């Protein structure tokens, strides 16, 4: 069955990671009934600071783009049948808001809804090193059902570029969403 998902992009370094994942979703749109996308205000600011341009025309063409203040949107309510949510990248600030249930924007609210409805929530934090506060928040979220999936590139697939790393990581996030694409780079796939 086709999935309804939400993808949020927050103001952690590495906006390219979120952008790459969204482009992979657009290529494989046949798996989805609906893809909601939200950028936090800080994501836009960090992209600008890092010299990375976010192509909102592309996002609008392929996704249902939501405002991060729109608490009246479908994904703000548990009664909307969302299958899951990915926050990529996820700042440790958004992670802390979700861990404490403080829904100050639509991203936090939608993540909170996923947890209360026992739906899939995948967080891709980007921070190093991690303080005890970050680790405690991740532990708390993991116990509440979230999947903590930091961007840690694998090497067994022999990546030759940053794009290779982003692509394989995006494939693994899709696996976590329950969408298993055929891919020869998987470990020992032919044995
Ligand atoms: C250039 C730049 C890079 C940043 N990188 C990170 C980062 O890698 N991880 C992180 O958690 N926060 C990072 N921050 C801080 C967040 O943007 C900040 O905590 C913000 O409140 C996050 O808000 P949001 O989660 O609503 O997007 C960065 C900020 C700037 C300006």
């Amino acid at each position: 069955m086709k999935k309804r998902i939400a993808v949020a992009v927050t103001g952690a370094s590495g906006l390219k990671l979120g952008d790459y994942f969204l482009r992979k979703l657009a290529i494989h749109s046949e798996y989805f009934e609906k893809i909601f996308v939200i950028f936090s205000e800080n994501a836009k600011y960090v992209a600008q600071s890092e010299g990375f341009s976010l192509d909102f025309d592309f996002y609008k063409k392929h996704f249902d783009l939501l405002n991060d203040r729109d608490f009246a949107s479908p994904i703000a309510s548990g009664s909307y049948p969302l299958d899951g949510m990915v926050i990529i990248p996820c700042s440790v600030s958004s992670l802390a808001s979700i861990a404490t249930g403080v829904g100050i924007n639509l991203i936090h609210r939608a993540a909170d809804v996923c947890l209360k409805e026992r739906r899939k929530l995948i967080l891709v934090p980007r921070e190093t090193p991690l303080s005890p506060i970050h680790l405690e928040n991740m532990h708390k979220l993991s116990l509440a059902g979230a999947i903590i999936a930091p961007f840690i590139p694998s090497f067994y697939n022999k990546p030759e570029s940053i794009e290779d790393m982003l692509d394989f990581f995006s494939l693994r996030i899709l696996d976590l969403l329950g969408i298993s694409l055929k891919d020869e780079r998987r470990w020992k796939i032919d044995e």
Side-chain angles (χ1 to χ4, degrees), residues 10-13 40 42-43 45-46 49 91-94 105 126-127:
T10 66
S13 183
S40 73
N42 290 315
Y45 178 69
V46 173
S49 312
S91 73
V92 288
S93 156
S94 275
N105 66 25
R126 276 263 322 148
E127 191 51 280

Side-chain angles (χ1 to χ4, degrees), residues 63-99:
F63 312 115
D64 280 61
L65 206 53
L66 301 174
N67 186 293
D68 79 342
R69 297 287 145 183
D70 183 7
F71 289 102
S73 78
I75 61 170
S77 167
S79 66
Y80 182 83
L82 197 74
D83 293 299
M85 178 172 185
V86 183
I87 307 185
I88 177 170
C90 183
S91 73
V92 288
S93 156
S94 275
L95 193 131
S97 299
I98 300 161

Side-chain angles (χ1 to χ4, degrees), residues 78-136:
S79 66
Y80 182 83
L82 197 74
D83 293 299
M85 178 172 185
V86 183
I87 307 185
I88 177 170
C90 183
S91 73
V92 288
S93 156
S94 275
L95 193 131
S97 299
I98 300 161
T100 49
V102 183
I104 57 168
N105 66 25
L106 176 63
I107 297 172
H108 310 152
R109 168 63 188 166
D112 198 46
V113 168
C114 284
L115 293 177
K116 83 182 174 78
E117 301 292 334
R118 304 294 190 260
R119 292 175 186 155
K120 200 152 267 184
L121 175 64
I122 300 161
L123 306 177
V124 181
R126 276 263 322 148
E127 191 51 280
T128 194
L130 295 165
S131 75
I133 295 167
H134 302 145
L135 292 166
E136 202 174 304

